[in-house]
Amino acid sequence: MDRWLRGFGLASLVANVGIVVTGGAVRLTKSGLGCPTWPRCTDESYTTTPEMGIHGIIEFGNRLLTFVVIAIAVAALITAVLERPRRRRLVTLGLVTLLGIPLQGVIGGITVLTNLNPWVVGLHFMGSIFVITTAYLFWRRVVDAPVTAAPPRPLRHLAWITTAVSLAVVVVGVIVTGAGPHSGDGGAKRNHLDPELISQLHVDLVMLLIGLSVALYFAARIAGAPTGPAVLLIAVELSQGTIGFVQYFTHLPIVLVGLHMLGACLVWIATLHALHATRSPDRAAVPAS
């Protein structure tokens, strides 16, 4: 049963990242209004029709994937309840992940009803970041051994600062997207911010994040803590930054934009991994004095 729990936990994390990528494909192929209404695909049908063409197929296909992600989350939650009934936090994380997915579906529906308003689209992406966070924490709680030794407090503080800046990078990146050309539909509005100005702010935050991640590596090394999470974070950041610069100077080709969306999820997961490595001991694992 424990093997199933690990598998469902990882599958839930991967599926929630995957649906971000497919959602990006909807927007990048201008299929955001392939189904022009919600919860139906058209006023008369819940499914796409031949007249709607490839855009309808892409949008409706992404909606169907939501049910796959929900099914995996249900399986993970049920397995957690059956396997470890006394671990309430694990079950809570599984439940929050499960409830977050249909909530994301509702926000996605609102994006359609608001004609792909860029601020609502951005909220939809940040909702995915939240669900990815809970799915990651669920999986880590399954695979990790209990922590008994407290990390140095300055190291943990630095990890939290790095996490806050990483979140800011993601948020500003979403705003940059709302100012760019890939709106999801030819008639969708943009947020009317200066793309160059907001892009420069995004780059500045990325540089700050890389600097903090390097500092986190050296702090972990000095403290005798594992340095692998910081190394992984730096590697993912540099890869994502390279894609970001190339896409900017090549006028945002859709393939690179899609990879950059995937990279945003991976940067956030790597950030969570670095933060998780500095977590406090579990109360049940601390020996009684």
Side-chain angles (χ1 to χ4, degrees):
M1 185 73 76
D2 190 62
R3 185 192 308 175
W4 285 102
L5 187 56
R6 291 168 181 260
F8 283 133
L10 181 58
S12 181
L13 176 60
V14 172
N16 278 288
V17 173
I19 202 166
V20 171
V21 176
T22 60
V26 170
R27 180 170 62 85
L28 294 170
T29 58
K30 298 186 182 299
S31 302
L33 295 177
C35 288
T37 188
W38 186 88
R40 295 174 182 264
C41 191
T42 70
D43 290 335
E44 296 79 25
S45 174
Y46 281 98
T47 63
T48 185
T49 61
E51 294 77 15
M52 300 171 70
I54 187 63
H55 294 308
I57 294 173
I58 293 173
E59 164 65 6
F60 183 68
N62 187 64
R63 292 187 183 189
L64 288 180
L65 284 176
T66 301
F67 295 99
V68 176
V69 180
I70 289 175
I72 295 173
V74 168
L77 177 60
I78 292 175
T79 308
V81 171
L82 295 176
E83 173 69 9
R84 306 188 182 187
R86 294 184 180 180
R87 296 187 64 177
R88 295 181 180 178
R89 189 171 298 179
L90 182 66
V91 173
T92 299
L93 286 169
L95 181 61
V96 172
T97 301
L98 174 60
L99 294 178
I101 297 168
L103 178 60
Q104 267 293 81
V106 172
I107 299 174
I110 294 173
T111 67
V112 173
L113 297 177
T114 58
N115 195 34
L116 305 181
N117 181 289
W119 298 106
V120 182
V121 173
L123 178 63
H124 191 41
F125 184 86
M126 293 311 301
S128 292
I129 291 296
F130 173 77
V131 177
I132 287 171
T133 301
T134 60
Y136 172 84
L137 294 176
F138 178 94
W139 177 62
R140 292 305 314 192
R141 198 159 189 85
V142 172
V143 300
D144 285 343
V147 174
T148 58
R153 184 171 297 179
L155 178 62
R156 183 158 179 79
H157 288 170
L158 179 58
W160 273 107
I161 293 172
T162 303
T163 302
V165 174
S166 182
L167 182 60
V169 167
V170 174
V171 171
V172 176
V174 169
I175 298 174
V176 171
T177 300
H182 298 298
S183 62
D185 183 80
K189 296 180 180 179
R190 314 311 290 139
N191 60 25
H192 303 301
L193 297 177
D194 185 340
E196 291 190 8
L197 182 62
I198 196 68
S199 294
Q200 184 59 56
L201 174 60
H202 184 57
V203 170
D204 292 342
L205 286 171
V206 168
M207 295 301 181
L208 175 59
L209 176 60
I210 293 174
L212 287 169
S213 301
V214 172
L216 186 63
Y217 165 79
F218 283 107
R221 185 172 180 178
I222 292 171
T227 57
V231 171
L232 176 63
L233 177 58
I234 294 168
V236 175
E237 288 167 352
L238 292 177
S239 299
Q240 173 74 337
T242 300
I243 295 173
F245 275 110
V246 173
Q247 72 165 5
Y248 182 81
F249 289 109
T250 55
H251 307 293
L252 305 174
I254 62 173
V255 173
L256 290 183
V257 175
L259 287 176
H260 202 54
M261 291 184 66
L262 171 62
C265 297
L266 297 181
V267 167
W268 180 243
I269 291 173
T271 302
L272 293 175
H273 182 53
L275 177 64
H276 190 71
T278 67
R279 67 193 185 280
S280 299
D282 299 313
R283 291 182 179 180
V286 178
S289 56

